[in-house]
Amino acid sequence: MPKRVQMSRQHPWRAEHPDAVIVARPSRWGNPLPGGIKSLTREQIVYGYRDLVVRRAAKIVTPSYVITVKATDVHETVPTSAEIRTALAGKDLACWCKPGDPCHADVLLEIANAPEPDRYPTQEFLHGESDVPGDCWRACIAGLTNAPLEVVPHFAQLYPDETTPAWWYATVTWVEENAPGTTLVCIDPVFPVATQTEALPPVVIATGKSPRGDFMHAVLVDWVTGDLVWDPHPSRAGLAGPAIELAALQAHVTGATV
């Protein structure tokens, strides 16, 4: 079972844990939140780090100090959950914190070794396997809105002519009816996504070429970095190349034109 290892200048910890990954500052995995402020407890700093990784934002409030930081401000030093799972799963993590003390390495261990996230559904239909078109778009909409797959219409089947915008307008209408206060917008693949706010899901839909043939595929990616978070196809292979366009939830103002 992967564990936290305490680094030491007096004890030969490296000889005992040759494969442990150092997650202390200034490594890629270090906690960028300040640790020397007396009004902040270790628990508060670790909680803030969890917020920063998972929600891409952190706010810590104490009687005498407030930290408000967004991952857009430090996105080059704050890894995504997907990056943590890819790089640190199954590995011991080394930091200077004493055993038993709260440490951001515990957050990294939890995320790195958590079961594959089940919030995001796997698509029900695969391209070319039957007369029913693949439903990667449907699965991504379900993941984006936190809805069960079975309640989301199969837009590609209902509107098979991809040259018309009917499928898009139908999707937007469904999102506005089933994710109150939001709408769906199509944007260029530029990261971080400018329309994103802390209140919205930390992922957006990216569409691009499928690695399985000459057709399009949709996946969920991190809104800050563009890293793959979830591919609804069972292969989990992602896109064959960069995203061509993005679809993101946006706070919806009644009567506004998008």
Side-chain angles (χ1 to χ4, degrees):
M1 183 72 178
K3 61 185 179 297
R4 170 156 57 103
V5 174
Q6 184 184 15
M7 298 163 61
S8 172
R9 293 184 175 89
Q10 288 78 38
H11 186 74
W13 69 273
R14 176 54 87 185
E16 297 176 0
H17 307 279
D19 298 322
V21 177
I22 295 176
V23 295
R25 300 186 186 97
S27 76
R28 168 65 173 155
W29 316 105
N31 186 352
L33 297 178
I37 301 171
K38 293 182 179 179
S39 58
L40 292 180
T41 65
R42 285 180 173 271
E43 289 84 356
Q44 289 169 326
I45 294 171
V46 172
Y47 182 87
Y49 180 75
R50 179 189 298 277
D51 257 9
L52 199 56
V53 172
V54 176
R55 294 179 52 248
R56 311 307 292 172
K59 186 173 184 179
I60 309 171
V61 181
T62 75
S64 57
Y65 199 85
V66 177
I67 291 178
T68 301
V69 60
K70 297 181 180 179
T72 47
D73 301 326
V74 288
H75 68 272
E76 292 185 357
T77 58
V78 179
T80 64
S81 295
E83 185 179 354
I84 291 169
R85 284 191 292 270
T86 299
L88 302 181
K91 298 179 180 179
D92 291 342
L93 305 183
C95 191
W96 296 107
C97 298
K98 295 179 181 178
D101 283 353
C103 177
H104 80 291
D106 296 327
V107 177
L108 293 172
L109 282 168
E110 177 186 333
I111 294 174
N113 299 288
E116 192 172 67
D118 57 6
R119 172 189 169 186
Y120 303 122
T122 297
Q123 61 189 89
E124 182 178 1
F125 304 102
L126 304 181
H127 180 91
E129 291 197 353
S130 70
D131 293 335
V132 180
D135 62 341
C136 58
W137 176 258
R138 174 194 182 203
C140 285
I141 291 295
L144 194 63
T145 60
N146 200 25
L149 181 65
E150 58 269 19
V151 306
V152 181
H154 188 350
F155 299 104
Q157 183 180 25
L158 295 173
Y159 305 95
D161 186 356
E162 296 181 1
T163 63
T164 71
W167 65 272
W168 170 259
Y169 292 133
T171 305
V172 172
T173 299
W174 186 90
V175 167
E176 292 178 355
E177 292 175 349
N178 291 272
T182 67
T183 189
L184 193 68
V185 294
C186 183
I187 54 179
D188 292 331
V190 178
F191 299 95
V193 174
T195 61
Q196 195 77 9
T197 67
E198 295 177 24
L200 296 174
V203 293
V204 296
I205 300 175
T207 56
K209 291 185 176 181
S210 169
R212 291 168 294 278
D214 188 20
F215 54 91
M216 300 294 285
H217 185 53
V219 299
L220 294 174
V221 300
D222 185 274
W223 74 271
V224 175
T225 65
D227 293 340
L228 178 67
V229 172
W230 181 253
D231 182 349
H233 190 274
S235 71
R236 313 292 185 234
L239 302 177
I244 295 174
E245 61 185 6
L246 304 178
L249 287 185
Q250 187 180 65
H252 180 54
V253 179
T254 303
T257 302
V258 178

